[in-house]
Amino acid sequence: MTTIIYYFTGTGNTLAAARMLAEELGDTKLIPLRRAMYYGGSAPEADAVGIAFPVHFLDMPAIVRQFVFNILFNEESYIFGLATCGEPHGGALFRLQELLDEKGYKLSAGFTLVMPENFIGPVNLMNDVSRREEKFAAASARIPAIASAIRERRVAVPEGSNSGLWQLGGRLSRHLATVVYDTPSHLHATAACNQCRTCERICPTRNITVKKDGVTFGDDCTQCYACIHWCPNGAIEIGGRTKGKARYHHPDVTVRDMLDQRGE
Ligand SMILES: Cc1cc2nc3c(=O)[nH]c(=O)nc-3n(C[C@H](O)[C@H](O)[C@H](O)COP(=O)(O)O)c2cc1C
């Protein structure tokens, strides 16, 4: 059985989850969806295709939506979703199901995995530090059951809740963070920046430019928060709201992995 898992990650949780699942399934190829987007067209032949992403605003990140919208899957493939989240995940996988439906494909199953939170601003939700080990343990304990469901080609309603309240909550929280507070325009580098260019090199949308006279953020931010969390000097902030707050990335994921995601 061949499986392909397309993944997108900001701070490594989704990549770590996809790796665990790939190892459990065997004969599985991990492809960064950011790189697959450059080539466009059709997904390579595979018996099963997974789409792994972090939940953003109870939905898919914009970049993942764009990927799913543009790629052609093999109609025979068993398609599944894997959404990592800090909790709550709401209807993120239902949004994936709707998008695939519109394109004439079927999401056969959707699994959620609770992982450490990485939403640091404009409201800091990263208060789950003491629960991180517990979350990692619970996530890896769930992987064999997810792999069995995929191996057996089980068809099920996606995990999560598609209630109107969650849909409204998702739209409202995205609107508050993106339009009302306008997170992307509050991104800036402080004097702690030493122009190492880590942010520029890992940004999945190539939205950051580092020059001697400063760091510029463009208008194509997908809000994955990679720049904030991976800066080795903690020099990237969202307005004044992230100042002094701890940063996070998955312990088994490296800057090298983030560069691979982008094809560097
Ligand atoms: C902009 C943004 C929005 C988020 N929204 C949600 C959410 O609605 N629900 C949730 O459970 N987690 C949310 N999270 C947390 C991430 O889904 C979670 O930490 C995820 O595992 C991060 O995966 P990654 O390391 O692969 O990027 C959000 C994170 C970010 C950066």
Side-chain angles (χ1 to χ4, degrees), residues 8-14 54-58 84-89 115-119 223-225:
F8 175 72
T9 191
T11 53
N13 286 348
T14 309
V55 173
H56 283 180
F57 307 115
L58 308 171
T84 73
C85 57
E87 243 174 1
H89 37 71
M115 297 286 264
E117 179 64 56
N118 70 350
F119 188 82
Q223 297 197 54
C224 66
Y225 290 23

Side-chain angles (χ1 to χ4, degrees), residues 141-156:
R142 271 210 77 204
I143 292 290
I146 295 176
S148 293
I150 295 167
R151 252 187 247 110
E152 291 162 20
R153 302 287 188 261
R154 247 178 264 163
V155 176

Side-chain angles (χ1 to χ4, degrees), residues 6 31 33 35-37 39-44 49 51 64-74 100 103 105:
Y6 289 102
I31 302 182
L33 63 78
R35 278 165 70 174
M37 282 167 88
Y39 310 120
S42 311
V49 172
I51 302 163
V64 177
R65 177 169 285 278
Q66 218 181 322
F67 163 76
V68 177
F69 189 79
N70 285 313
I71 197 149
L72 297 172
F73 296 105
N74 182 335
L100 287 168
K103 294 190 62 184
Y105 300 114

Side-chain angles (χ1 to χ4, degrees), residues 3-20:
T3 304
I4 289 177
I5 302 179
Y6 289 102
Y7 70 88
F8 175 72
T9 191
T11 53
N13 286 348
T14 309
L15 174 55
R19 276 178 176 160
M20 286 193 287

Side-chain angles (χ1 to χ4, degrees), residues 71-114:
I71 197 149
L72 297 172
F73 296 105
N74 182 335
E75 281 172 24
E76 307 299 313
S77 297
Y78 169 92
I79 304 179
F80 64 92
L82 176 69
T84 73
C85 57
E87 243 174 1
H89 37 71
L93 288 160
F94 289 86
R95 306 284 80 74
L96 174 62
Q97 185 178 46
E98 284 163 8
L99 186 56
L100 287 168
D101 273 355
E102 279 170 30
K103 294 190 62 184
Y105 300 114
K106 183 173 154 45
L107 181 73
S108 291
F111 309 94
T112 55
L113 265 193
V114 176

